[in-house]
Amino acid sequence: MIEGVDEGLVPSRDWIASPPSVTAVIVCRNGARWLPQVLDSLASLPHLPHAVVAVDVASTDETREILGRYLHPASIRTARAGTGFGDAVRIALDGAAPTEWVWLLHDDSSPGEDALAHLLDQATQSDDIGIVGPKLREWPSLKRLLEVGVTITGTGSRETGLERGEPDQGQHDRPRDVLAVSTAGMLVRRRVLDDLGGFDPNLPLFFDDVDLGWRAARRGYRVRVVPASVFFHVEASATAVRPGSLAKRPRRDVRRAATYTLLANASRPGFWWQSVRLLLGTVLRALALLIGKAPREAADEIAGVLRVFTRPGTMIAARRRRAAAARVDQKTVRETLLPSPLIPYRHGLDAVGELVNTLVGPAPEMTGRRAAVEARSDDEDDALPVTGSFLSRHPWAATVLVLLLVALVAARSVIGSGFLAGGALLPAPDGTGAWWSFFTSGSHDVSIGSDVPAPGYVVPLALLGTLLGGNADLAVSLLVLGGAVLAALTAHRLARRLFTSPGVQLWWGATYGVLVATSGAVAQGRIGTVVALAAAPAIVNSAYLLMTRPRVTDGLRLGLWLTLATAFAPLAYVLTAVPLLLAGGLLLRRRGWPSISTALVLPWLLLGSWMWRRALDPGAWWWEAGRADAGVGDLDPPTWQLALGHAGGPGAATYATGALVVLGLLALLRTDRRAPVLVAWAAGLWGLGWASFGAGARFTDGVSSGPAWVGVPATLWVAALAAAAGMAADGLPERWSERPLRRRIYAIGVVLAVAGPLLATGWWVVRGVDDPLERGPLTEVPAYLAARAEDGASTLVLSGSREAGVTQQVVSGDGTRLGDEAVMPEREAFRALDTDIRLLLSNPSSGVLERLGSYGIQAIYVPAPADPDLVDALEVVPGLMPSGSPEGSKVWTFTTTAEPQEPPDSALRPVMAWIQLGLLLVVVVAAAPGRTREVR
C-alpha cells in the first residue's frame, strides 16, 4: 500500500530529510486495464514520492477498487464526469500537504526504474528550472519512442522531432531545454504551478502541457526533458482504446485546443498572421479530408477552429492573462523553443508520399498503434532492432541511396544548363503553363496548324512540372534520368508482395531498376519506355489486389496506373489487357468483372479521342512519347539480343542480363514452387512474344514514322525471369540448410544473381547516359528566325538532297517541343504544301512564295550540311533574300502580301479536355485511400 511517506520503503530518516519533497498525482479515468502495473511500478521505485494522491474522474470500470487496494482512502479523490486533467490536478492538490514538487502521472503511463530520481537530479541543478519531464516510450512495445520533449508547429500540430516508429537507441539522450514535456510523468515545482495559475481550464484534455510549458517559458522558467528518466505510455485516449473517453469528437477537440494554444500565446503581430494561416489551413485540410473520403473529420476540422473564433471574449481574456504574466519576449521563445516554420510542409510532403505509396499498392496487412495496444503484447520479439546505423537497419534505403548516386554519376554529362533532348526525346517547353494550355486548346500552333487532340501524357508531365515550380525541363529530366530509381521503388513495393525473403525483395527491386537504366531507353531519350516500365510494377501490384479483393476502388487504382503507362507507351495497354482478362476469367469469374471492366475502360475515358486513334490505326500502338524516329537506325535486333531483353540501339548493356536468363531457367527445377514460377514465365513469354513481333517493324502515326521500339516488352521479359528466379530462391536456404551440396549450388546461384546486376551497373556508370541524349541550347532553327515567331512567322526547314529526296518541316517558334510531335496535322493536310515545295525547287515563281506565305512561312532554312544542289535551286528563286546563317547552313527570307490561313480549330476539343481533367480528378479522389475509422 502506498500511503504518503512509508518509513518501511526507505533505509533511514536521515536519508529522507535530504531529498526534495514530492507529491505524486495520478489522474484516472477508466484505466483499470493499466492501473495495477502503473501502481506496482510506482511502488517499486527506489526513490518514492512523499505522498501519492489519486483522482478518479467518474470511472465506470474497476478503477476505484484498484485504487482502494493500493492507497489509503484519504489519498483518493473523486471528480465528476467531464473533469479535465488540469481541474483534476487542482482537486488532488486541494487540501493536500504542500510539497516542493508535484509529479503528474496518468493511469496508462508506467514509470521506469529510477524515473523520479533522474527527474529530481536534473530539476535541482538550477532554481530557474520549473518543469522537467521524462522520455516517453510506447507501451506495450517498450522500445519505440513517443516523445523526448514536445513543441508545436505553426499549423497546430504536436512536433516531437521523431521519425514514425523510431526505436530508442539512446540517440536523443541529451538533457536539453524544450518548450514543453508531456503531463505523463511531468515534474513541476509547486510554486511555479501556483505562479502560472495551474493548467488553463480551457484546455481540459489536449495541448494543456504545451500551453503550460509556453507560459512557463514566457514567465522565465526553464522546461527540461530528462531522457535518463523513462516512462512507458499507452496513449489510451489518443489511440481510442480508453472506454468512455472525455473526447467525444477527438479531432474537433484537438483542433480547438491547438488553435487556442497558438493564438493565446502568439505575439500581437503573430496573432493576426496565425489567425489567417489557421483559417486557410483549416479549409485546405478539410478539402483534403473530403478527398480522403472522411466528411465527418472534415467537419470536425472546421468546427474545432470555429469554436475558438466564435468566442473572442475567451481569447481576449487568455491573451491578457499571458501578457500580464510574461517576463520574456515572445521572439526569444520563438527562436529557441519553437520548430522551424518549414516543418509542417515537410510533414505535408511525407503525407503525399504515403498517399502515393498506398496508391502503388498497400501492404497486405496494416497494423497500427491501436492494434498493438489491443493485443496487449509485451513480447520482446516484436521490438525493433536497436543496434547499428540507420543504413544498416534499413538496407533498402541504403540501396536506393546507392542507385541515386549511380544515376547521378551516369548522368554527369547531361547535368547543367540548357534543355535535355536527343534521340527520341524532344526538349520540354519553357514552362508547364504551355502544357496546360496545349492540352485544353482546340488549335495547336505547330507546323501549318492542327486541331488534333493533345496526347494524354502531357497532363502528368504538367502536374509534375507544376509541383516543381513550373519547371518543365526539370520534370522531364527527373523522369528520364531518375526513372531507373523510380522503377526500383515501385518494383520493391511489388517485391514485398511476391517474395517473403527481405534479401530477395531487395535484390529484385534493385535489379529491376538497373534493367530499366541499361535497356537503352535512358540513353535514347525514350521517356515513354522509362515511365511505362516504372509504372509496370504498380500495375501488377494493383492487379494482384484486384484478383484477391475485387472492389471498384481497386479497379480505379489499376485503371489510373494503366492510363499513365498507356499515355506514355500505348503498348502497355495491350500487354496488360489480355492477361488481366484471362486472369479474371480464371480466378474471379462473374464477381470481378465490374472491377476489371472499370480498369480497362478507364484509359479510354481519360485519354479520350487520342486513345481512340490507336484503335483506328493499330500501328500507332507502337508509338511512344517523343519522336517516332530516334535517329538510331533500324531497330531489328537479332534473336539472341531479344532473348537477353535488349531492343537494340545505343545505351543497352547487352550481355549483363545473361545471368538472369540462366537463373530464370534454373527456377523451373524447383518443383514445390512450380506454380508461381510458371506464372512468371508465362508473363515473360507474353512480353518476349510482343518483342519478337515488333522487332524490325515500322509504324506511322499521322505524318511521323519510325522503327518500332520494343524496349517495354523486352525488359519485362527479363524482369519476369528474374522474378521466377526470386520465387525459386525464396525460402531455399532454410530448406537446404542440411544439404552441403545444395548449399553450394545455391551459393553459385547467388553469385550469378549478384554478378549480372553489378556488371550492368558498372557498365551504366562507365558509359553514362548520353549519346544520343544530350543537354544544350535549342538549335532547330537560328535564334533570330525563332524570334520572328512572335509576329506569327514560321520557318520552312528543308533537309536531304534533290537526288535522295527532300524532307520538309514547318517550324513555329524555336522548334518542336515535347508534345508537339503527337499533334502534327494529318498527312493529307500537307499535300498542297508538298506540291508547292516541288514547284519551288523545279519551277519557282512569285506565286509559290505567296502560297507559302499563306501558311505563315516567311523564311526557308537548310541546316548543315546543306546540299549544294538544293542550295543552287533556292538561290535562283525570285523573291528569296539570303540572310545570315550558321556555318554550313543557308537561310533565305521573303515577304508576301498573302493573308495567313486560319489554322484549323475545334470548338469541341477544349470542352472534351476539361471533361477529361474533371473526370481524372473525380477518379483520383475515388481511388484515393480513405481514412478508415477504427471501431471497438
Side-chain angles (χ1 to χ4, degrees), residues 501-813:
S501 168
V504 176
Q505 295 170 3
L506 186 150
W507 169 78
W508 192 79
T511 298
Y512 186 82
V514 173
L515 286 175
V516 173
T518 57
S519 65
V522 177
Q524 296 176 36
R526 300 188 184 273
I527 187 174
T529 297
V530 172
V531 174
L533 289 177
I539 292 175
V540 177
N541 209 347
S542 300
Y544 177 90
L545 286 174
L546 187 60
M547 295 301 153
T548 55
R549 54 173 196 191
R551 301 183 305 182
V552 174
T553 53
D554 293 313
L556 291 175
R557 288 178 187 169
L558 175 57
L560 281 174
W561 285 111
L562 186 55
T563 301
L564 176 66
T566 303
F568 281 89
L571 186 65
Y573 186 88
V574 181
L575 292 173
T576 304
V578 175
L580 186 63
L581 291 171
L582 181 61
L586 293 175
L587 300 177
L588 299 181
R589 296 180 174 87
R590 292 183 180 180
R591 65 189 181 98
W593 287 114
S595 301
I596 293 177
S597 301
T598 299
L600 293 179
V601 170
L602 199 58
W604 298 90
L605 298 177
L606 293 179
L607 298 178
S609 57
W610 178 87
M611 182 72 172
W612 289 100
R613 294 181 66 196
R614 312 299 113 183
L616 298 176
D617 183 8
W621 290 102
W622 292 105
W623 174 92
E624 290 186 7
R627 292 190 182 93
D629 190 346
V632 294
D634 291 332
L635 295 174
D636 188 10
T639 303
W640 68 269
Q641 280 198 14
L642 282 179
L644 293 177
H646 295 297
T654 307
Y655 300 98
T657 52
L660 299 178
V661 176
V662 172
L663 290 174
L665 292 169
L666 293 177
L668 295 170
L669 300 178
R670 185 173 178 182
T671 56
D672 60 317
R673 300 300 305 274
R674 184 67 57 80
V677 168
L678 288 178
V679 170
W681 263 91
L685 290 173
W686 175 248
L688 180 61
W690 276 97
S692 302
F693 175 71
R698 294 189 66 84
F699 73 96
T700 301
D701 181 21
V703 298
S704 301
S705 64
W709 162 256
V710 295
V712 172
T715 303
L716 293 178
W717 146 250
V718 179
L721 291 188
M727 292 170 182
D730 216 10
L732 203 58
E734 293 78 7
R735 290 176 57 87
W736 288 2
S737 59
E738 303 299 329
R739 302 183 179 184
L741 178 59
R742 293 191 177 185
R743 285 206 311 271
R744 294 188 183 94
I745 296 175
Y746 180 79
I748 294 174
V750 171
V751 171
L752 288 175
V754 173
L758 280 180
L759 179 62
T761 302
W763 184 91
W764 179 20
V765 171
V766 172
R767 184 196 183 278
V769 297
D770 58 339
D771 188 22
L773 192 66
E774 60 183 0
R775 183 178 293 278
L778 297 175
T779 58
E780 197 161 4
V781 295
Y784 74 93
L785 292 181
R788 291 160 57 99
E790 297 180 0
D791 299 325
S794 298
T795 301
L796 175 64
V797 180
L798 300 177
S799 56
S801 64
R802 299 186 68 180
E803 291 185 1
V806 177
T807 59
Q808 61 88 1
Q809 180 184 3
V810 179
V811 175
S812 301

Side-chain angles (χ1 to χ4, degrees), residues 851-862:
R851 289 193 295 273
L852 291 180
S854 67
Y855 293 105
I857 300 172
Q858 295 185 17
I860 299 176
Y861 173 54
V862 180

Side-chain angles (χ1 to χ4, degrees), residues 868-921:
D869 293 338
L870 182 58
V871 172
D872 291 341
L874 293 171
E875 289 281 7
V876 298
V877 175
L880 285 183
M881 297 173 289
S883 183
S885 57
E887 184 178 356
S889 61
K890 295 291 293 185
V891 175
W892 297 266
T893 60
F894 60 93
T895 58
T896 67
T897 59
E899 288 292 330
Q901 300 177 5
E902 287 294 328
D905 192 358
S906 172
L908 184 61
R909 297 284 185 220
V911 177
M912 296 303 299
W914 284 110
I915 291 176
Q916 289 172 242
L917 291 175
L919 180 60
L920 175 63
L921 178 61

